[in-house]
Amino acid sequence: MAVLRVRGFGLPEGEPVDLYADGDRWTSDPVAGAELVAEGWILPGLVDAHTHPGAETPGQPLDDGILREDLRAHLESGVTLIRAPGLAGDPPDWFGRADESPRAFHAGPWLAQHGQFMEGWGRRPKPADLPAVAAEQAARTGWAKVVIDWQLGDDVMPVEVLREAVTRVHAVGGRLAVHSQHAAGGVVAVEAGVDSVEHGMGLDPELLSRMAAQGTALTPTLSVITASLATINADPERARKSWYVPGASAHARLTAAAVEAGVTVLAGTDSRPHGGIAHEIRALVAAGVSPHQAIAAASWTARSYLGLPGLVDGAPADAAVFDGDPRTDLGQLDKPRAVIVRGKRVHRRVGSQ
């Protein structure tokens, strides 16, 4: 297999880089005969930290063909790493490893309370059993995901149960993500010390400093929440009655405040079709996050949070290459010149050399 080479300006520093894919690792040591596959502005791959590939509609089982299509869409958008905090079933062995798949972390099926979440998806252990079930999942895949609140008026998971789940998950070397869309759930999540809050709609801004101090990340899934808000607001009567509107209306401000407070903010799409990470980056910028920080949330910051280094010697050989600096032209994100995963080129823009 030919050794691939990329050169140009590497982010986040924007300094010149010249890298060779020594198998699945970058090296700056020149390799004779290496194939120069792209020059330009180089990211260590984009990251979608909240995506649920493999099923077209809620409740459907995981489908191998749909999963492959979804993952291919991620790759074509420049995403070389995903985190799936909840899947419709256990993924096949090739998930996250095969050429047609980005690298992947996942939490297996969602864990939820009885009477909550989407019918046909997830597991609903008894509260006393949930910490052990979460730990078993995290021991296998590194992550577990718990839905701690659902519809307005539903019971929020007791903080004692969630705190025990965090303790047990951490004991096996894993991490715990939680779904929360209500203020009460946000309080419980932060009090329990979870590793990441997914969505976080309705989160009290007063909690942000504690999140930053204890390392609780926020994945706001801002673009999909903003789109849902626009749909609801198009019907004034529906908007007047909807529990969704207050939290969604404040969500952009909350996200920008989280970045300002030093919370690790991760970019995640939570939507179909897959491959829309550029929309999430733009939503972060529209909320007041700087382009540099917004792209970081979908690249080097997210990779670091998930344990992968960037464009340095010995790092995994992943990259997305663009003609121009995406920090000054977000439109670049729509058209990666080349995408490399595991030292292999998996996407090249039509017409590029």
Side-chain angles (χ1 to χ4, degrees):
M1 184 180 69
V3 172
L4 304 187
R5 177 188 181 191
V6 295
R7 68 185 180 193
F9 302 97
L11 293 177
E13 290 83 7
E15 295 296 324
V17 296
D18 194 347
L19 296 171
Y20 300 79
D22 182 11
D24 186 20
R25 289 293 180 267
W26 289 124
T27 179
S28 57
D29 295 331
V31 177
E35 178 188 358
L36 180 61
V37 295
E39 295 183 83
W41 288 81
I42 307 170
L43 290 175
L46 290 168
V47 181
D48 192 330
H50 190 122
T51 180
H52 307 293
E56 288 188 332
T57 58
Q60 287 188 337
L62 194 72
D63 181 277
D64 190 89
I66 295 172
L67 182 61
R68 290 179 187 274
E69 292 175 3
D70 292 343
L71 296 174
R72 170 55 60 179
H74 278 301
L75 288 173
E76 291 178 354
S77 73
V79 168
T80 64
L81 172 65
I82 65 169
R83 183 187 58 154
L87 286 169
D90 288 320
D93 290 342
W94 60 262
F95 177 74
R97 297 182 175 89
D99 290 349
E100 64 266 38
S101 174
R103 298 181 196 271
F105 294 93
H106 75 91
W110 296 261
L111 302 176
Q113 300 183 90
H114 286 277
Q116 298 184 21
F117 197 50
M118 299 176 184
E119 186 175 352
W121 274 1
R123 294 179 286 171
R124 292 163 179 78
K126 296 178 181 178
D129 297 333
L130 186 139
V133 174
E136 181 275 333
Q137 178 68 57
R140 288 194 297 113
T141 64
W143 282 87
K145 166 75 173 295
V146 181
V147 180
I148 65 169
D149 61 39
W150 191 237
Q151 298 295 339
L152 185 66
D154 285 348
D155 291 336
V156 176
M157 183 168 290
V159 67
E160 296 81 7
V161 173
L162 190 60
R163 186 183 289 118
E164 179 65 16
V166 170
T167 298
R168 293 203 184 188
V169 165
H170 286 178
V172 299
R175 291 182 177 182
L176 188 69
V178 300
H179 166 109
S180 176
Q181 293 189 110
H182 302 289
V187 171
V188 167
V190 176
E191 178 66 26
V194 303
D195 294 288
S196 70
V197 175
E198 308 302 304
H199 315 300
M201 212 172 68
L203 190 67
D204 185 345
E206 294 296 320
L207 296 171
L208 295 176
S209 59
R210 180 171 177 180
M211 290 176 65
Q214 68 188 28
T216 297
L218 173 65
T219 316
T221 62
L222 184 57
S223 56
V224 70
I225 288 176
T226 301
S228 297
L229 177 64
T231 299
I232 294 171
N233 280 338
D235 181 345
E237 183 62 19
R238 181 186 178 194
R240 184 178 66 82
K241 298 177 180 179
S242 175
W243 66 266
Y244 194 87
V245 169
S249 298
H251 202 48
R253 295 192 299 276
L254 173 74
T255 300
V259 173
E260 184 67 23
V263 175
T264 297
V265 172
L266 308 173
T269 56
D270 191 30
S271 63
R272 301 191 66 87
H274 290 267
I277 193 64
H279 299 305
E280 183 66 11
I281 295 171
R282 289 190 182 95
L284 292 171
V285 173
V289 178
S290 74
H292 184 91
Q293 291 171 311
I295 295 173
S299 184
W300 54 88
T301 293
R303 287 180 70 92
S304 176
Y305 177 80
L306 293 169
L308 297 183
L311 300 173
V312 296
D313 281 63
D318 301 344
V321 186
F322 302 90
D323 289 332
D325 187 347
R327 298 172 301 175
T328 57
D329 177 10
L330 294 176
Q332 291 291 327
L333 297 168
D334 297 319
K335 47 189 178 183
R337 171 171 288 276
V339 181
I340 297 167
V341 181
R342 305 179 196 88
K344 299 178 181 179
R345 182 172 58 197
V346 294
H347 173 70
R348 181 176 64 184
R349 192 178 69 232
V350 175
S352 64
Q353 300 297 317

